[in-house]
Amino acid sequence: MNNAAANAAGDKAVPVMPAPAAEAQLVIDRVSKRFGEGPGAVVAVDDMSFDVMPGEFVACIGPSGCGKSTLFNIIGGLQEEYVGNVMIDKSRIAGPHAAVGMVFQEESTFPWRNVLDNVAFPLELQNVGQSERRDRAQKFISLVGLQGFEKRMPSELSGGMRQRVSIARTLVSGPRILLMDEPFAALDEQTRLLLGDKITQIQQELHQTTLLITHNLTEAVQLSDRIVVMTYRPGRVKRIVNIDLPRPRTSDVVSSPAFGKYVAEIWGDLREEATRGMEEAEAGAAARGKTARG
């Protein structure tokens, strides 16, 4: 019975409660990581906390040496010893997790396998039957725009195409969370933008939770719902920026004043941190030179 009907019947209406907000799928809770002991110890990441909601695209951006890749390895389960908690669906990460797929900076295709067999490889490890794994591999080859290249070897493909093979191979296992560490770093700017468009299309189609590690300002603004800006080492959360731009982010959006304003705003934060890193490096070099001369 709705409220109007209840009132007509003389019953007290029951207020409609709002639907509960979605819970974060990925939680980074006060995460720190130190390498080494004593005076020579390096704190790569210090007390970092942020959440990623289901289906959200979040980028972590910061200057070189800020601990981005360390954070990536912790979330991906490749770095098991750390302080704090990384939670996926309320379960703490303690090693590689079946829900997480990882795409690395350098494409990792197997040069002795063609495109189809490269993409199907994770399904072989899961003992999926040949017919099913080929069908599933074909689906993701098409999704990344490589249909017609199934029989080509990696040596016959461009760098951007090989990276798409790596992405398809990661996606074929059906991870709920996709981690990407500088996946377009080796590509030219035009290819980066085009591949960014493809990643956005895939993410929107699969509704996949995605965390991108990058140092590229344009890439971060083009792809993300939110951007976590990190400080120079030790890496901390300096600021989180919500990107309020329409999707799809066409060339008109990327060339708009609003897009440029986000890039300039984040560059202001990064410039402070990069400058601090440069000054520390120069001071360290000067101190080492003085010691060597002394």
Side-chain angles (χ1 to χ4, degrees), residues 42-186:
V42 173
V43 179
V45 177
D46 184 39
D47 202 28
M48 284 199 69
S49 296
F50 63 92
D51 299 344
V52 184
M53 304 303 289
E56 188 177 25
F57 199 121
V58 173
C60 285
I61 190 166
S64 296
C66 74
K68 298 187 299 293
S69 292
T70 297
L71 182 65
F72 175 88
N73 289 334
I74 291 171
I75 297 171
L78 303 182
Q79 180 65 62
E80 298 182 23
E81 296 182 4
Y82 64 94
V83 175
N85 293 293
V86 174
M87 312 286 286
I88 293 178
D89 297 328
K90 300 183 179 180
S91 175
R92 188 180 191 272
I93 288 284
H97 196 291
V100 178
M102 305 177 74
V103 177
F104 298 91
Q105 180 172 339
E106 296 182 2
E107 58 85 12
S108 54
T109 52
F110 301 129
W112 60 89
R113 285 175 168 255
N114 64 30
V115 168
L116 183 64
D117 289 340
N118 256 290
V119 176
F121 179 70
L123 303 178
E124 289 183 41
L125 299 181
Q126 298 170 19
N127 295 317
V128 175
Q130 183 178 33
S131 178
E132 180 182 350
R133 70 174 180 255
R134 285 180 171 268
D135 287 346
R136 286 169 61 179
Q138 184 64 62
K139 172 186 173 182
F140 286 97
I141 288 170
S142 298
L143 188 65
V144 300
L146 289 177
Q147 60 272 25
F149 291 87
E150 292 83 354
K151 299 301 181 183
R152 297 291 184 92
M153 304 301 287
S155 61
E156 301 176 273
L157 306 177
S158 68
M161 294 170 77
R162 289 196 298 273
Q163 190 62 292
R164 279 190 272 171
V165 173
S166 298
I167 292 167
R169 190 178 62 198
T170 300
L171 294 174
V172 77
S173 297
R176 299 196 304 277
I177 298 173
L178 181 64
L179 304 182
M180 298 191 293
D181 184 10
E182 305 273 11
F184 316 135

Side-chain angles (χ1 to χ4, degrees), residues 146-247:
L146 289 177
Q147 60 272 25
F149 291 87
E150 292 83 354
K151 299 301 181 183
R152 297 291 184 92
M153 304 301 287
S155 61
E156 301 176 273
L157 306 177
S158 68
M161 294 170 77
R162 289 196 298 273
Q163 190 62 292
R164 279 190 272 171
V165 173
S166 298
I167 292 167
R169 190 178 62 198
T170 300
L171 294 174
V172 77
S173 297
R176 299 196 304 277
I177 298 173
L178 181 64
L179 304 182
M180 298 191 293
D181 184 10
E182 305 273 11
F184 316 135
L187 306 178
D188 63 83
E189 190 65 21
Q190 182 182 45
T191 302
R192 291 177 78 121
L193 288 169
L194 293 173
L195 198 48
D197 285 341
K198 178 59 67 175
I199 288 295
T200 300
Q201 292 169 16
I202 292 169
Q203 194 262 349
Q204 295 292 302
E205 182 170 336
L206 298 180
H207 305 290
Q208 198 161 45
T209 305
T210 305
L211 181 66
L212 170 70
I213 304 295
T214 184
H215 67 271
N216 187 287
L217 293 165
T218 301
E219 183 175 278
V221 177
Q222 178 196 6
L223 298 177
S224 306
D225 299 308
R226 289 187 298 144
I227 298 175
V228 178
V229 182
M230 295 177 62
T231 65
Y232 179 67
R233 190 172 57 240
R236 302 186 179 102
V237 175
K238 183 180 181 76
R239 192 157 66 100
I240 297 178
V241 181
N242 294 315
I243 305 300
D244 185 17
L245 293 172
R247 292 188 185 277

